């Protein structure tokens, strides 16, 4: 907020922000509310189902499904960090979020999204070991190592969250308190700052670029070796199963990396808020909803586990 005295700009610390959200009248807001609610409900049901099935079915107690369960958990959490507040604001006249609430939302969102990006790289490495070194797989991907890999992704997420949140909220906000977005994110917050944001943008582009390049490199190298191994296989059924599993993962990686790149790792991303809102719907609403569908519909083991769970429930 600002006041003007004798031509000088005086900065008054903000206590709250207003999430502008989407343009449009009551009908547009109602349509968006229905869309967000439908996507969120499918996200909750799909990811909770994956977590429950993997937890209860002993045949899915392997590193691959351990990572997949963590992916479902992350999808559930980072969608929940955004959607409930967005739903409430569609019919709210004030659309206010406190300064602390905004910082908390950004912190959790950065943590969870970064962790998911790193986890997708870990999942590619897991498939590489499983397919290219099957005899050593149980030794290399033991429970301890899998746990450490997942903890490492969370540590990376925490580091990025601390850096992004602290750098963003140490800025003075004086141009306005109206965030041109439906949740608290770095690009729209930088637009409100009345100080030089070059360092913030450099850090954002640098960290996101590093995560995207690192994950993409791990995925490409892993799947390069996997492709060579598959082509050497004589079993047609073995090839089909591997292609199905790896195809699901490649679809999830492509969707996630593509949208994050458009939003955070390209020049001009900070200025394109209208485009950013559309892209944000995709990676905060659509991708968390699609991931359990991608992994369940194209995975025979998961479909069999769902069938067994349904039979057990029907027998009760």
């Amino acid at each position: 907020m600002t006041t003007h005295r004798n031509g000088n700009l005086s900065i008054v610390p903000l206590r709250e922000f207003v999430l502008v959200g989407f343009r449009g009248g009551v009908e547009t807001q109602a349509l968006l509310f229905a869309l967000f609610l439908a996507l969120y409900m499918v996200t909750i049901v799909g990811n909770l189902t994956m977590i429950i099935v993997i937890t209860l079915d002993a045949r899915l107690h392997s590193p691959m499904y351990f990572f997949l369960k963590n992916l479902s958990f992350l999808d559930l959490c980072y969608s929940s960090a955004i959607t409930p507040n967005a739903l409430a604001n569609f019919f709210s006249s004030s659309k206010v979020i406190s300064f602390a609430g905004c910082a908390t939302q950004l912190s959790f969102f950065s943590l969870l999204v970064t962790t998911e990006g790193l986890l997708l790289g870990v999942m590619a490495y897991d498939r590489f070991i499983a397919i290219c070194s099957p005899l050593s797989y149980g030794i290399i991907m033991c429970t301890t190592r899998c746990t450490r890999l997942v903890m490492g992704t969370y540590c990376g997420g925490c580091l990025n969250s601390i850096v992004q949140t602290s750098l963003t909220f140490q800025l003075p906000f004086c141009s306005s308190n109206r965030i041109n977005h439906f949740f608290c994110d770095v690009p729209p917050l930088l637009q409100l700052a009345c100080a030089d944001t070059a360092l913030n943008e450099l850090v954002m582009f640098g960290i996101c670029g590093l995560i995207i390049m690192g994950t993409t490199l791990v995925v490409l190298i892993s799947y390069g070796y996997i492709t060579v191994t598959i082509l050497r296989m004589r079993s047609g059924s073995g090839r089909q199963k591997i292609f199905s599993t790896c195809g699901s993962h490649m679809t999830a990686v492509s969707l996630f990396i593509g949208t994050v790149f458009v939003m955070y790792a390209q020049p001009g991303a900070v200025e394109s808020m209208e485009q950013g809102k559309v892209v944000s719907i995709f990676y905060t609403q659509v991708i968390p909803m699609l991931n359990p569908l991608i992994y369940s519909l194209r995975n025979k083991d998961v479909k069999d586990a769902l069938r067994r769970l349904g039979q057990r429930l029907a027998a009760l």
Side-chain angles (χ1 to χ4, degrees):
M1 303 290 286
T2 61
T3 58
H4 296 269
R5 294 176 182 176
N6 301 323
N8 295 321
L9 188 66
S10 175
I11 301 173
V12 179
L14 288 176
R15 294 186 178 181
E16 61 186 28
F17 292 101
V18 176
L19 292 168
V20 175
F22 299 90
R23 298 174 181 174
V26 176
E27 291 183 357
T28 302
Q29 299 300 312
L31 181 62
L32 287 169
F33 177 86
L35 175 64
F36 271 56
L37 181 61
L39 291 173
Y40 187 50
M41 294 305 295
V42 175
T43 297
I44 292 175
V45 172
N47 286 290
L48 277 179
T49 300
M50 290 294 289
I51 293 170
I52 292 169
V53 167
I54 293 171
T55 301
L56 296 181
D57 198 306
R59 300 182 191 183
L60 300 183
H61 291 178
S62 65
M64 172 183 167
Y65 294 106
F66 172 70
F67 296 133
L68 184 54
K69 182 167 72 171
N70 278 276
L71 181 68
S72 292
F73 174 74
L74 289 168
D75 282 335
L76 185 63
C77 288
Y78 89 70
S79 180
S80 296
I82 304 298
T83 311
N85 186 68
L87 288 171
N89 283 339
F90 280 122
F91 296 113
S92 171
S93 57
S94 63
K95 301 186 178 182
V96 168
I97 184 170
S98 68
F99 187 91
C102 188
T104 302
Q105 187 180 62
L106 174 60
S107 177
F108 275 102
F109 178 71
S110 299
L111 162 65
L112 296 165
V113 172
T114 304
T115 302
E116 175 153 337
L118 297 173
L119 183 63
L120 289 171
V122 170
M123 292 172 72
Y125 172 73
D126 170 68
R127 291 299 82 207
F128 160 68
I129 299 297
I131 295 167
C132 299
S133 302
L135 299 179
S136 306
Y137 180 66
I139 299 172
I140 297 174
M141 300 303 290
C142 61
T143 303
T144 302
R145 178 162 295 179
C146 290
T147 303
R148 287 175 179 173
L149 285 170
V150 170
M151 292 304 296
T153 65
Y154 277 95
C155 288
C158 282
L159 180 60
N160 184 41
S161 175
I162 291 170
V163 171
Q164 298 288 0
T165 306
S166 60
L167 280 178
T168 300
F169 283 91
Q170 58 86 28
L171 291 169
F173 298 104
C174 58
S175 61
S176 171
N177 71 332
R178 296 175 63 81
I179 300 175
N180 187 21
H181 215 311
F182 62 92
F183 70 97
C184 292
D185 199 7
V186 175
L189 282 166
L190 293 185
Q191 291 187 336
L192 304 184
C194 53
D196 184 14
T197 61
L199 175 62
N200 298 72
E201 293 181 30
L202 181 63
V203 170
M204 182 179 70
F205 295 146
I207 292 178
C208 291
L210 184 63
I211 293 170
I212 290 170
M213 289 179 60
T215 301
T216 303
L217 189 62
V218 170
V219 170
L220 290 177
I221 292 174
S222 297
Y223 280 98
Y225 279 104
I226 287 171
T227 301
V228 172
T229 303
I230 291 174
L231 294 176
R232 292 175 179 173
M233 286 183 173
R234 297 180 180 179
S235 170
S237 60
R239 284 185 184 182
Q240 185 178 4
K241 182 176 180 180
I242 292 172
F243 271 126
S244 177
T245 302
C246 295
S248 299
H249 185 248
M250 283 299 294
T251 303
V253 170
S254 300
L255 289 172
F256 183 86
I257 293 297
T259 51
V260 170
F261 175 79
V262 169
M263 188 64 196
Y264 301 106
Q266 63 166 339
V270 174
E271 288 80 14
S272 312
M273 279 301 100
E274 294 307 315
Q275 176 198 41
K277 291 178 189 179
V278 177
V279 176
S280 296
I281 291 176
F282 200 79
Y283 72 80
T284 62
Q285 309 297 321
V286 178
I287 289 180
M289 180 270 295
L290 283 179
N291 276 344
L293 299 178
I294 291 170
Y295 282 102
S296 61
L297 295 178
R298 300 190 61 178
N299 189 304
K300 184 177 182 299
D301 293 336
V302 174
K303 287 190 286 187
D304 290 343
L306 285 168
R307 192 178 299 111
R308 288 192 294 270
L309 178 61
Q311 291 171 351
R312 287 168 61 182
L313 293 174
L316 294 177

